[in-house]
Amino acid sequence: MKFDIPAQPLAAALQAFAQVTGQSVFFDGQLAAGLESAAVHGDLAPRDALQRLLVGTRLAARYADETTFTLVENEAPPQPAPPLPATPADAAATPDERNARIVQQAVERTLCRWPRAQPGGYRALVQLWVGPAGHVRRTRMLTSTGVAQRDAALEAAMNSLVLTPPADGATDEPLTILLLPSTGISTDICAGVTPRAAS
């Protein structure tokens, strides 16, 4: 896969990486704050490109599945990526990997029920603050979808989410979610989901 990502603020570099690869990234906004990515150029496998992009950031990628990862602080020397488990093997995943997959499924399921916010046709970067009970208590749009009505529907949908409660003391740390348009290899994640009635 061809990469041409210059060194830049880490959040912007991750958005560029996701655009090239179609992968989904979930990360705590405070982890990326003030960090710069390394430049990534050339033909590389996505995981190799991501590893290069994160050089010097003290962060590492933890994959929940083949196309979804979360960022965590890398306190240990880099380890080779383990073989991807089969889908039923979620029990063998780390808490971070399980949480990223749970968040992804909850976001997809919720957005698919909101006709104006159904994913696949737009790009947006959103931050969520999750309260102690797991309810989203605040949403901030970092980038617009390009349509004001869709922005409003997306924000309302995100505010209806109920996620895994954050760790003690982490309620002020936002979760950053990047939503990308569908590609030719994407599956229809909203197939079989009944949209909610318009209000």
Side-chain angles (χ1 to χ4, degrees), residues 120-140:
Y122 60 87
R123 179 183 294 105
L125 192 61
V126 185
Q127 282 187 324
L128 308 177
W129 281 260
V130 182
H135 294 272
V136 171
R137 58 187 178 85
R138 183 158 70 96
T139 300
R140 181 170 68 175

Side-chain angles (χ1 to χ4, degrees), residues 7-114:
Q8 59 189 299
L10 183 58
L14 289 167
Q15 185 171 1
F17 174 85
Q19 185 175 353
V20 172
T21 63
Q23 295 189 0
S24 300
V25 56
F26 299 90
F27 60 95
D28 176 343
Q30 287 192 348
L31 282 180
L35 296 179
E36 293 279 322
S37 75
V40 180
H41 301 287
D43 290 313
L44 299 163
R47 289 198 185 201
D48 291 337
L50 181 59
Q51 188 173 6
R52 289 190 188 188
L53 187 144
L54 294 174
V55 166
T57 66
R58 81 174 186 280
L59 301 180
R62 293 267 180 88
Y63 275 82
D65 58 35
E66 196 168 341
T67 60
T68 306
F69 64 91
T70 185
L71 294 184
V72 296
E73 289 192 83
N74 186 18
E75 297 176 352
Q79 299 288 327
L84 290 171
T87 302
D90 281 350
T94 68
D96 284 326
E97 292 168 340
R98 284 196 298 272
N99 191 50
R101 186 171 295 172
I102 289 167
V103 169
Q104 179 189 23
Q105 291 171 346
V107 168
E108 290 174 353
R109 186 168 55 246
T110 298
L111 294 185
C112 285
R113 295 185 63 245
W114 288 70

